[in-house]
Amino acid sequence: MKLDILAFGAHPDDVELGAGATIAKAIANGKKVGIVDLTRGELGTRGSAEIRDSEAAASAKVLGVVARENLGFADGFFVNDRAHQLEIIKMVRKYRPEIVLCNAIDDRHIDHGKGSKLVSDACFLSGLIKIETRLDDADDVQAQWRPKVVYHYIQWKNLEPDFVVDVSGYIAKKTEAILAYSSQFHDPKSKEPETPISSKNFIDSVNYRARDLGRLIGVDYAEGFTVERFVGVNNIDDLI
């Protein structure tokens, strides 16, 4: 299955928080989108890996992605090495996306920066023909594939975006996808310990960040992304 966009997140819910509205808009416009979670978020204070598995499936259904996979890397302890890069390469070659979205380049959680660099490095290596990978012990060697672009969404820290996407009309869908992770976010009835993301202020911040980025480009809502390389456009009027 060839996808237009493949979004990676170090933990289930990273993609939804960072790029949920962008993904919802892309799907509404006919794009095929998939998500790959690197870990099951098993070190999270609230919930469990099994709960987050079911929440991730529910969230994927809300967004309408055509595929979601979890690589089962060790939460908090995965590294950017050959073994982990090869697993990312297998996903990139399996889905052959034009665009890859991945974690923030710098953030509060150490897995976010690590995941960002791991995915970015693997996307480059995926284009090298002499790196051979096989999917699920298949006999056939996967064909090399390098995405056209890798974009990094923004998470906890207020990084300055290199570009923003108008996502007006898709914030409600993003919020619904986020709240599918009911174990993680604000619930006044929950007996779970409080965490930095379980407060009402955190959920509100997702909305007001999008409103503020939208304000800066004259729309209702926007999501921001950073890039490692120059981004080109076909025509000057592609910019708004």
Side-chain angles (χ1 to χ4, degrees):
M1 181 193 307
K2 185 182 186 319
L3 300 181
D4 299 295
I5 301 170
L6 185 59
F8 288 87
H11 314 102
D13 76 25
D14 282 356
V15 169
E16 289 89 344
L17 287 165
T22 297
I23 288 171
K25 183 175 183 178
I27 291 170
N29 289 332
K31 301 297 185 183
K32 291 183 178 179
V33 182
I35 297 175
V36 175
D37 301 308
L38 304 187
T39 78
R40 297 174 70 201
E42 63 270 20
L43 294 184
T45 301
R46 295 161 68 102
S48 65
E50 292 75 20
I51 289 171
R52 295 185 79 170
D53 288 345
S54 62
E55 291 172 342
S59 183
K61 187 174 181 179
V62 169
L63 288 176
V65 300
V66 296
R68 185 165 204 159
E69 301 200 35
N70 193 300
L71 295 180
F73 294 169
D75 189 11
F77 294 100
F78 70 83
V79 295
N80 185 1
D81 64 2
R82 182 177 184 273
H84 289 82
Q85 290 165 357
L86 286 172
E87 295 306 310
I88 302 293
I89 290 169
K90 290 177 185 178
M91 293 294 100
V92 173
R93 290 177 173 179
K94 177 179 179 178
Y95 291 112
R96 297 175 293 152
E98 303 298 324
I99 297 170
V100 161
L101 307 179
C102 61
N103 285 100
I105 57 173
D106 177 43
D107 211 42
R108 172 181 173 273
H109 198 301
I110 61 170
D111 280 355
H112 296 169
K114 286 193 299 180
S116 173
K117 190 68 167 65
L118 169 60
V119 172
S120 180
D121 288 352
C123 284
F124 176 81
L125 294 172
S126 183
L128 301 181
I129 194 170
K130 290 186 177 180
I131 296 176
E132 293 189 357
T133 56
R134 291 175 173 83
L135 193 63
D136 299 328
D137 297 321
D139 292 332
D140 294 337
V141 174
Q142 291 180 299
Q144 77 273 19
W145 182 268
R146 183 175 293 146
K148 290 181 179 177
V149 292
V150 176
Y151 298 143
H152 304 264
Y153 45 83
I154 295 171
Q155 299 184 258
W156 182 272
K157 292 185 178 181
N158 287 324
L159 304 183
E160 183 175 354
D162 292 313
F163 70 93
V164 298
V165 177
D166 177 5
V167 293
S168 303
Y170 295 93
I171 288 297
K173 180 70 72 174
K174 171 177 179 161
T175 302
E176 184 183 356
I178 292 170
L179 294 180
Y181 296 91
S182 57
S183 70
Q184 301 302 302
F185 299 110
H186 181 62
D187 178 1
K189 299 178 182 178
S190 176
K191 299 287 196 293
E192 295 267 24
E194 291 298 320
T195 71
I197 66 170
S198 68
S199 69
K200 184 176 184 300
N201 184 45
F202 176 78
I203 288 296
D204 290 345
S205 76
V206 174
N207 184 286
Y208 63 66
R209 172 187 276 167
R211 286 185 66 88
D212 192 50
L213 289 176
R215 174 186 64 83
L216 294 173
I217 62 168
V219 301
D220 290 335
Y221 295 95
E223 286 181 330
F225 298 85
T226 66
V227 300
E228 298 175 46
R229 302 173 185 86
F230 286 125
V231 176
V233 296
N234 288 323
N235 301 292
I236 191 65
D237 58 2
D238 288 341
L239 300 172
I240 60 171

